[in-house]
Amino acid sequence: MVKVTEVEKGKDLSRTERLKERHFSLISNPELSIERAKYVTESYKETEGEPEIIRRAKAIKNVLAKISVNIWPDELIVGSYNGKELGGAFYPDANSRLSIEIEQDLIDDREQDPFSLSPADLREAKEDIIPYWRERTLEDHARERWSEEVNDRVNMIGTGIIFTEVQGIGHIVLNYQKVLKVGLNGIIKEIDGYLSLKEDHKRRDFYDAAKISCRAVIDFAERYAEKAQDLMREEKDEGRRKELEEIARICRKVPAKPAETFYEALQSIYFVNIIARIEDYEASVSIGRLDQILYPYYKGDMEKSRLSREEAQTLLECLYLKLSSITLLLDDLAELAFGGYTTWTNAVVGGIDENGNDATNELSFLALDAREHICLHQPNFGVRLHGGTDPRFFDRVSRSMATGKGKIQVFNDEIIIPLFEEQGITHEDATNYGIIGCVELGSVPGKSFNSADAALFDLPYCLSLALNRGKNDVLSPFRGGGQMGFVTKDPNEFKSIDDVIDAYREQLNYLVALFAEGLEGFAESYAEYHPLPFISSITEDCLKEGKDVTWGGAKYNFTSIQGVGLANVADSLAAIDKLVFKEKKITMDDLVDAIEKNFEGYEPLRQMLINRAPKYGNDDDEVDKYAKRVVEIFSDAWKGHSPDYRGGKYIIGLYAATTNVALGMGDPAFPSGRMYGEPLSVGITPAQGMNTSGPTAALKSAAKIDYKLVGNGGALNLKFNPSSFKGEEGVKRFSSLLKTYFEIGGIHLQCNMVDRKTLLAAKERPEEYKDLIVRPAGYSVYFVQLAPMAQDDIISRTEYQEGEI
């Protein structure tokens, strides 16, 4: 990792290196744009009384017709969803809390992820935009549908609940292939065919809205063509003038018409991607199988000598840079859980095709080369692997991970494809899966509508309730006691670990029911007030059915909830089983008292819990069985609430973003020995510092989980000292480790190849480490842009040293 301050400013940099330098000059102080908010609000004021889906389409049309259009120096891929070179957008129609923060002038000086906002924009937001949306936001509409209890719990620390849909849905892989193949003109023609049929008013409104949206996107691209032509007339450099001429030609062609070249395909993909963000929400609008989508265009260009490999890599790097220019504005509570100026835009390469053959191609290698060379925090880059993966590509991926150069993650096709089929997805569709956001599964590009990160669920919170008859007076001091769960047995009446598990299940089921009520309220509010006609126009079955994606129009529908703190529950159950029931070293009364007092006066007992009880992540069946059991309980609880509002399934995932820090702030001490306020464990990763038997043991523990129950995937994050895999022998050791893990049933792996010394130095001198990328959960982020507690969480994780592998 080269420190930013050591870059030679006078050096002749390549185009993408120059763009990368500008990226780092902007991302430390990103701008907040109110343009989307302004033009959405303007349109809604003018369309009162019209059908909501038509209002939505006209609002997006107004944004696309008026938002600032800029093409910045060196850019080859163009477009902005907010009019800024790098920055975030404001969605006043969704989140009430964020509007309050802006009104109180808190955005530009908050500790985590501040945004600069001009005085004029701030005044306009306060006077013209925010007042219109009072009691009209999606959050407001959802709250009208919730019980008092759900309303009380939402967005409060110490209640076990985080709803991400309060910001928007996002979290989708779009049907880029269809747009590339037929263009939006082709989709408009398809819509016209349905409009010619006699339909009810709701369906006709849907088709009208879809058509308005597609035409607005075409006009938006035309605005970029005109901008390129304007710049071309003023440009003195002949080379740049030719580039602008080509940009103008391409923007006039795509996405209106089918793409024919690699460059056209990339530009079309980016336009479609940012339009979806404008229509819905910034987060996790992902790319899918980048190498499979683009390979026909790359191959065609190479065969006709229209493109060199180097030029193709530059274009890919330009796409990655554009994806890195999108930053997410969240409210202050959400920033604790999802901080780091990222949008979790996922792209994946590799995997098998529908016939079971290895799908690796030349573009799989090239996309990884581009990732390593530019290596920004976006896109969140993944690789699909299987037993028949091209050995050269497997070695290339292993090298990237072992050296830490690409900051990539890997997924196991042989586990994930059957998992998809278990959810009712056809084999053909399952083989084409993409990854959303962090590690979210359930996505068939262009055929599924996944609220793939609908909520995050505090798994150990339910155990804390089980140890106090559903009351929270031993829990977070952020709340003042009271009945927060089901009334279960007095802990002193527990006769065995089965009694503890039964109480845990009852508490979890109680909290799941509250989550389900909240998610139904959101889904109904989206369908009524926030339909998505453009996204629907390119999602399979929506046009055929005449139904928006929010109405259940997609071929596949899911709502996904992520469990956080799995290892904490497993470790706690194992400790209770061994030390309270089997060995009787600790009484239940003493254990509950110690938890209530955060182990003050009970340090010897705490050390016993830590050192005498088994811990998940060490290949010990006595504790790993509890991790597996908790997953089964969590999955069963959600099965009882299917179908969801859109007629699909509720499915679970196991990852955290940085919600393990946010949720941990409100959780009490645990029977595992973890103290009040400390971060929870992440995904399927062992608890911080508890995996002491080496990485192979951690991988074996993770592989024991029944992933057919985990329809949205799980994140395993290990940290290694960079010396662990030095040289060719080190790369071979890592390759062997990865291959064995996937052979025994592992689903996912990502690694932080960074030592504690570097992390501490970056925390102390952030200006020297602006490009230090880490993976806190299932995504990449610049370490220096994480909150101090999230930084400390990564520093505290077990660091495997050379010789432990």
Side-chain angles (χ1 to χ4, degrees):
M1 199 278 299
V2 178
K3 297 178 185 178
V4 171
T5 53
E6 293 175 353
V7 175
E8 296 176 31
K9 300 301 180 184
K11 187 177 179 181
D12 184 20
L13 302 175
S14 70
R15 176 195 306 274
T16 53
E17 286 168 338
R18 292 193 299 271
L19 288 169
K20 184 175 179 178
E21 278 205 342
R22 198 151 74 245
H23 168 84
F24 281 110
S25 74
L26 296 170
I27 195 146
S28 60
N29 185 32
E31 294 181 277
L32 175 61
S33 169
I34 68 163
E35 288 197 54
R36 180 199 175 277
K38 175 181 179 178
Y39 299 127
V40 164
T41 306
E42 181 180 272
S43 177
Y44 265 80
K45 288 178 179 178
E46 295 172 353
T47 59
E48 301 239 0
E50 296 184 35
E52 289 295 332
I53 195 164
I54 297 296
R55 297 184 78 192
R56 200 75 198 161
K58 288 183 176 180
I60 301 310
K61 177 182 178 181
N62 198 48
V63 174
L64 298 181
K66 296 178 179 179
I67 196 168
S68 297
V69 166
N70 295 296
I71 297 174
W72 288 279
D74 283 320
E75 282 195 327
L76 295 178
I77 306 296
V78 301
S80 172
Y81 84 117
N82 59 11
K84 303 290 185 182
E85 184 173 6
L86 186 151
F90 175 34
Y91 291 72
D93 42 333
N95 186 341
S96 305
R97 186 180 183 87
L98 195 49
S99 293
I100 293 170
E101 280 190 72
I102 290 175
E103 285 187 301
Q104 295 177 350
D105 300 335
L106 299 177
I107 295 296
D108 61 347
D109 61 355
R110 62 187 184 182
E111 181 180 5
Q112 178 68 49
D113 293 359
F115 283 80
S116 62
L117 184 60
S118 73
D121 283 352
L122 179 59
R123 184 170 55 254
E124 186 169 5
K126 287 182 177 183
E127 295 177 359
D128 298 331
I129 298 171
I130 293 172
Y132 176 79
W133 292 103
R134 288 197 181 101
E135 300 183 3
R136 286 187 172 106
T137 68
L138 279 166
E139 182 181 355
D140 293 326
H141 292 305
R143 285 183 180 277
E144 290 172 359
R145 292 163 166 78
W146 294 341
S147 65
E148 183 178 353
E149 183 169 7
V150 173
N151 269 293
D152 284 346
R153 290 186 182 224
V154 169
N155 290 337
M156 295 188 72
I157 295 172
T159 63
I161 287 180
I162 294 179
F163 286 125
T164 56
E165 287 191 353
V166 71
Q167 298 284 146
I169 297 178
H171 297 86
I172 191 171
V173 179
L174 301 164
N175 198 343
Y176 302 104
Q177 292 98 319
K178 183 174 183 178
V179 178
L180 294 178
K181 183 178 180 180
V182 305
L184 292 182
N185 282 335
I187 292 169
I188 290 171
K189 184 177 180 181
E190 183 181 354
I191 294 169
D192 284 338
Y194 289 110
L195 271 171
S196 66
L197 303 174
K198 292 182 179 180
E199 300 287 355
D200 60 70
H201 289 302
K202 187 173 181 179
R203 287 162 68 99
R204 287 192 65 85
D205 288 342
F206 165 72
Y207 291 129
D208 284 337
K211 190 171 179 179
I212 290 168
S213 302
C214 288
R215 283 179 171 164
V217 176
I218 293 170
D219 292 343
F220 179 67
E222 176 64 29
R223 293 182 67 207
Y224 273 92
E226 292 170 358
K227 182 67 175 181
Q229 282 191 317
D230 290 343
L231 292 174
M232 186 176 63
R233 297 186 191 102
E234 302 169 3
E235 181 59 55
K236 305 246 187 301
D237 182 84
E238 179 63 24
R240 182 58 177 167
R241 191 158 53 246
K242 288 182 178 178
E243 289 174 356
L244 290 166
E245 183 178 13
E246 179 68 352
I247 289 169
R249 182 194 69 79
I250 290 173
C251 292
R252 195 154 277 129
K253 180 176 181 181
V254 298
K257 299 176 182 178
E260 296 179 270
T261 69
F262 185 71
Y263 191 175
E264 291 171 0
L266 283 171
Q267 182 62 66
S268 186
I269 286 171
Y270 189 66
F271 271 141
V272 171
N273 185 274
I274 62 173
I275 299 305
R277 298 177 195 269
I278 292 171
E279 182 179 52
D280 181 14
Y281 177 49
E282 297 134 304
S284 303
V285 180
S286 297
I287 305 299
R289 303 182 75 183
L290 188 69
D291 54 344
Q292 306 306 307
I293 297 169
L294 289 169
Y295 184 65
Y297 305 95
Y298 173 80
K299 182 180 178 183
D301 280 357
M302 296 296 284
E303 288 174 349
K304 296 178 181 178
S305 300
R306 292 189 298 217
L307 187 74
S308 69
R309 191 181 191 280
E310 293 73 20
E311 289 168 333
Q313 180 170 330
T314 294
L315 287 169
L316 277 173
E317 290 175 10
C318 285
L319 175 66
Y320 297 169
L321 281 151
K322 291 297 288 185
L323 294 173
S324 295
S325 72
I326 303 168
T327 56
L328 185 64
L329 172 68
L330 298 168
D331 65 63
D332 58 345
L333 286 180
E335 288 294 356
L336 292 171
F338 306 98
Y341 289 135
T342 188
T343 60
W344 308 279
T345 302
N346 209 304
V348 67
V349 298
I352 66 170
D353 63 21
E354 62 188 67
N355 298 313
N357 300 318
D358 182 40
T360 305
N361 58 46
E362 186 179 348
L363 202 53
S364 312
F365 288 88
L366 185 61
L368 183 52
D369 289 345
R371 168 67 179 180
E372 285 191 353
H373 181 247
I374 203 69
C375 204
L376 299 172
H377 66 323
Q378 294 286 297
N380 190 14
F381 198 91
V383 179
R384 288 175 44 178
L385 299 173
H386 58 100
T389 295
D390 183 336
R392 296 172 303 154
F393 189 57
F394 193 96
D395 289 346
R396 178 72 180 81
V397 171
S398 297
R399 183 178 303 278
S400 185
M401 295 187 74
T403 59
K405 289 178 66 177
K407 305 296 187 295
I408 65 175
Q409 56 184 337
V410 290
F411 299 86
N412 188 352
D413 275 8
E414 294 180 17
I415 298 298
I416 293 173
I417 290 172
L419 180 158
F420 272 97
E421 293 172 337
E422 188 77 13
Q423 306 303 327
I425 295 173
T426 68
H427 178 75
E428 178 183 357
D429 287 342
T431 59
N432 193 38
Y433 75 88
I435 305 295
I436 301 171
C438 291
V439 298
E440 295 100 293
L441 306 177
S443 174
V444 181
K447 296 184 179 182
S448 60
F449 188 65
N450 307 63
S451 183
D453 189 31
L456 292 108
F457 189 102
D458 188 337
L459 292 169
Y461 174 86
C462 300
L463 181 59
S464 300
L465 291 174
L467 295 175
N468 197 38
R469 306 198 69 198
K471 294 182 180 179
N472 80 335
D473 46 291
V474 301
L475 304 182
S476 166
F478 287 90
R479 296 184 64 87
Q483 196 69 38
M484 296 294 291
F486 195 77
V487 180
T488 45
K489 279 184 182 180
D490 186 317
N492 288 308
E493 296 178 10
F494 294 155
K495 303 301 181 185
S496 70
I497 193 65
D498 289 335
D499 289 339
V500 180
I501 292 173
D502 286 345
Y504 175 73
R505 182 186 292 106
E506 288 183 271
Q507 299 297 347
L508 186 143
N509 287 342
Y510 183 91
L511 193 59
V512 163
L514 294 178
F515 264 82
E517 179 190 334
L519 293 173
E520 287 291 296
F522 273 124
E524 187 177 346
S525 298
Y526 273 98
E528 186 171 352
Y529 296 103
H530 200 302
L532 305 170
F534 174 69
I535 291 173
S536 300
S537 73
I538 58 174
T539 301
E540 188 166 313
D541 282 10
C542 286
L543 294 182
K544 181 177 71 174
E545 299 294 331
K547 294 171 67 175
D548 189 85
V549 288
T550 64
W551 306 346
K555 182 176 181 179
Y556 303 110
N557 287 279
F558 299 98
T559 301
S560 307
I561 304 89
Q562 324 324 321
V564 183
L566 175 65
N568 301 122
V569 187
D571 292 352
S572 294
L573 291 173
I576 295 171
D577 189 22
K578 180 176 182 179
L579 299 175
V580 175
F581 295 118
K582 290 181 177 176
E583 297 184 1
K584 303 187 186 304
K585 300 287 186 183
I586 302 172
T587 68
M588 183 63 74
D589 194 51
D590 281 346
L591 178 63
V592 172
D593 192 54
I595 289 171
E596 183 176 4
K597 294 176 179 175
N598 195 30
F599 296 111
E600 186 175 342
Y602 284 95
E603 187 58 27
L605 183 149
R606 178 172 175 265
Q607 291 303 318
M608 187 185 301
L609 292 168
I610 293 173
N611 298 311
R612 294 283 301 275
K615 298 292 183 289
Y616 169 79
N618 296 288
D619 190 24
D620 187 332
D621 287 339
E622 288 305 304
V623 61
D624 294 347
K625 67 182 180 183
Y626 291 119
K628 185 175 180 179
R629 186 85 173 270
V630 170
V631 170
E632 292 167 354
I633 292 169
F634 190 39
S635 174
D636 286 345
W638 281 103
K639 286 178 182 176
H641 291 277
S642 291
D644 65 9
Y645 179 83
R646 293 183 294 275
K649 291 184 177 181
Y650 284 107
I651 56 176
I652 65 167
L654 297 168
Y655 74 90
T658 55
T659 58
N660 68 308
V661 176
L663 290 169
M665 289 174 63
D667 278 359
F670 293 158
S672 62
R674 172 201 162 275
M675 298 184 73
Y676 162 74
E678 293 180 351
L680 305 184
S681 63
V682 176
I684 52 177
T685 306
Q688 293 83 339
M690 294 297 106
N691 42 323
T692 58
S693 301
T696 301
L699 296 174
K700 287 182 177 179
S701 288
K704 295 175 187 177
I705 293 168
D706 184 358
Y707 289 109
K708 286 186 178 180
L709 303 178
V710 189
N712 206 37
L716 177 60
N717 195 332
L718 300 183
K719 187 171 77 171
F720 294 90
N721 188 293
S723 65
S724 301
F725 302 107
K726 291 187 299 187
E728 290 302 313
E729 287 304 312
V731 173
K732 288 180 182 177
R733 285 201 309 276
F734 184 87
S735 179
S736 176
L737 191 74
L738 175 58
K739 186 173 294 185
T740 300
Y741 171 54
F742 275 12
E743 286 174 351
I744 64 174
I747 190 172
H748 165 272
L749 179 64
Q750 60 183 29
C751 303
N752 280 310
M753 296 292 178
V754 60
D755 59 79
R756 177 182 175 86
K757 181 179 178 181
T758 299
L759 293 174
L760 289 172
K763 188 177 179 184
E764 181 71 22
R765 303 186 303 278
E767 69 282 355
E768 296 180 18
Y769 294 86
K770 292 179 182 178
D771 62 345
L772 174 58
I773 294 175
V774 294
R775 298 189 69 90
Y779 68 104
S780 295
V781 69
Y782 301 122
F783 178 78
V784 299
Q785 291 178 345
L786 288 171
M789 287 186 68
Q791 292 177 333
D792 291 341
D793 172 40
I794 295 173
I795 292 169
S796 71
R797 298 177 188 179
T798 300
E799 180 182 317
Y800 295 117
Q801 305 288 331
E802 185 178 8
E804 292 187 86
I805 295 92

